[in-house]
Amino acid sequence: MRGLAGLMLLGLLVASPGAGSLIQVTTLVDELDGCAAGTGCSLREALASAGDGDEIQFTVTGTIALTLGELAPGSDVLVQGPGAGQLAVSGNFASRVLAVAAGRSVELRDIALRDGRAPLVGDPHGGCVKNAGALVLSGVRVEDCQARSMPSETPAAGGDGGGVFNAAGAVLVLTRCVVRLGQAGAGGGDPFSPPPGGRGGGVFNLGTATVTESTLELNRAGGGGGPTGAGGDGGGIHSGGTLLLERSTVAANSSGDGAQFCAPTCANGRDGKGGGLWASGETTLNNVTVSGNTIGSAPEGLSNVGGGLVLAPTAGVIDRLRNVTVAANTASGAGGGLAREGAGTVRLRHTILGTNVAGTNDKDCTGGSAALVSEGWNVVRIGGGCASVFGGSDQVLSLIHI
C-alpha cells in the first residue's frame, strides 16, 4: 500500500497552490497575441504568462472553444473555474483539451473539459486529457471525449483513454469529478493480425491514480479492428498501474465490441473484458458501486467475462474490495459481476455481489487464476465459480433469493 499512500500525499502537495500571482481570464476567445492585445486575456495567454505557483481565475462564463490546439501548461499552476456548469473548455471536436508534460504539476478546479479528440498521427491516446506529470482535477466534468480510431487500412490498435490518459510514472487525482461519454478508439485493419480496440473508455491508467467521490458513466472501450479484432477492455477504467477508487460510482459503461466480420454466420472478434473496470496493478475499492455495466454493446461479438469488473493482479499483488456493491451488470460470458485473472490475490470484505447477469451459471462471481479470499461479511449470490470461498460471516444466497 505504500504506492497509494504516496499518491495521496503527493495529491495533497499538488493541490496546494503557491503564493504566486493571480491572473484573470477575460475572454472566451482562444488567442495568443498577449493579454494586452486582441479581445482580452485568453486562457491560453494566461497559461503562457503564468509562473510556478500562479493562480488563474475567470471573469467570464460560457464555452472556450479551442482553435489553436491543445492547452499545454508550461508552469506549475492552479486553474480555478467558476463551476463546471458555468464554464467549459472545448476541444471543438478537433483537438485534445489538455496535455500535462512530465515534471509539471497542474490543478484544475470547477470547470468542464469536453469535446476533445486525440491526434490521429503519433499520439492517439487521451481524448480530452493526457497526463505525464502530476494532475489534480477537482469538481471537473470530463465529457464527450474520444481517443483516436485508426483508419481501416492502418494495422494499429485504437487509442487508449477516451476521457483521460495517465501515463506510466504520472500521478492523477480526481475528486468530485464526472467522467462520462468517453470513447476509446477503434482498431484499424489487418487481415493477418486484426488490431484490438482501445482500452479505458473513461480513464486509462499506467501510473498512479486516486478517484474519490466521482462518477464514471456511459463510457465505452474501442471496437476491434477488421476483420476479427477484439474489443478493448475496461469500459469505465482500464488500469495497469496503481488505482485507489473511493466513495465513487462506476455505472453504465461497456467494454469494446468485437469486430463484425460476417455476422451472424461466421467468426467475429471477441468483445472486450471488464465492462466497468479492468485492472492488473494494485487496486483498492472502498465504498464503491459498480452497476449497469456490460460486455460490449452489440450482440455479434464473441462472449467475454466480467460485466462489472475484471481484477487481474500480477504475482505478489493484492487487490482489495471493501464495502463495494457489484450489481445489475451483464456479461455475455461468465462473471456478470466479478471475474478474476492473473497470479495475485483478490480480498473481499463487506461486499455485495448480486443481481448480475451472465451467459453461464456463474452470474455474480466466476472462478479464475487469481486467488479469492473472503475477509468476512460479504453477501454473495452464488451460481458456481466462487462458492467454496465464502462461509462463516458471509451470507451466501441461492439464485432465487436475489
Side-chain angles (χ1 to χ4, degrees), residues 347-374:
R347 304 182 71 91
L348 278 68
R349 181 194 304 172
H350 290 119
T351 289
I352 298 173
L353 299 170
T355 70
N356 299 286
V357 177
T360 72
N361 201 37
D362 295 352
K363 308 295 184 185
D364 296 305
C365 179
T366 188
S369 53
L372 183 65
V373 177
S374 170

Side-chain angles (χ1 to χ4, degrees), residues 183 220-221 253-258 260 271 294-301:
Q183 173 72 63
R220 292 176 56 191
N253 306 283
S254 61
S255 62
D257 293 317
Q260 301 176 24
D271 290 338
T294 64
I295 295 298
S297 60
E300 288 81 8

Side-chain angles (χ1 to χ4, degrees), residues 102-398:
R104 286 283 163 233
S105 297
V106 175
E107 181 177 6
L108 273 67
R109 297 177 184 169
D110 304 320
I111 198 169
L113 308 176
R114 68 186 193 207
D115 310 329
R117 301 294 184 266
L120 176 60
V121 179
D123 190 17
H125 309 304
C128 269
V129 178
K130 186 171 185 180
N131 176 45
L135 174 64
V136 175
L137 302 180
S138 301
V140 172
R141 293 181 67 89
V142 181
E143 53 191 353
D144 193 12
C145 309
Q146 295 182 15
R148 278 296 176 177
S149 295
M150 295 296 116
S152 59
E153 68 276 10
T154 301
D160 298 323
V164 181
F165 180 96
N166 194 49
V171 173
L172 175 68
V173 178
L174 304 181
T175 304
R176 295 179 293 102
C177 291
V178 175
V179 181
R180 66 191 307 268
L181 297 173
Q183 173 72 63
D190 186 333
F192 303 104
S193 182
R199 302 159 294 178
V203 174
F204 180 86
N205 172 50
L206 288 176
T208 50
T210 185
V211 180
T212 306
E213 297 178 357
S214 295
T215 298
L216 294 101
E217 61 182 7
L218 299 170
N219 302 289
R220 292 176 56 191
T228 58
D233 299 332
I237 303 175
H238 186 288
S239 179
T242 300
L243 174 66
L244 172 61
L245 186 61
E246 295 189 302
R247 302 188 301 281
S248 294
T249 298
V250 180
N253 306 283
S254 61
S255 62
D257 293 317
Q260 301 176 24
F261 180 49
C262 53
T265 59
C266 60
N268 296 303
R270 187 170 297 279
D271 290 338
K273 302 176 182 179
L277 166 69
W278 186 98
S280 62
E282 181 183 354
T283 301
T284 301
L285 275 62
N286 295 324
N287 299 295
V288 172
T289 297
V290 181
S291 67
N293 303 284
T294 64
I295 295 298
S297 60
E300 288 81 8
L302 300 180
S303 64
N304 220 329
V305 301
L309 65 163
V310 173
L311 296 177
T314 55
V317 171
I318 299 175
D319 290 348
R320 293 174 171 86
L321 275 64
R322 293 170 177 168
N323 301 305
V324 175
T325 297
V326 182
N329 303 283
T330 301
S332 49
L338 168 66
R340 50 201 165 91
E341 301 175 342
T345 301
V346 178
R347 304 182 71 91
L348 278 68
R349 181 194 304 172
H350 290 119
T351 289
I352 298 173
L353 299 170
T355 70
N356 299 286
V357 177
T360 72
N361 201 37
D362 295 352
K363 308 295 184 185
D364 296 305
C365 179
T366 188
S369 53
L372 183 65
V373 177
S374 170
E375 296 181 347
W377 309 105
N378 301 292
V379 177
V380 184
R381 181 187 69 165
I382 292 296
C386 305
S388 62
V389 172
F390 299 98
S393 63
D394 298 318
Q395 186 172 3
V396 182
L397 307 176
S398 69

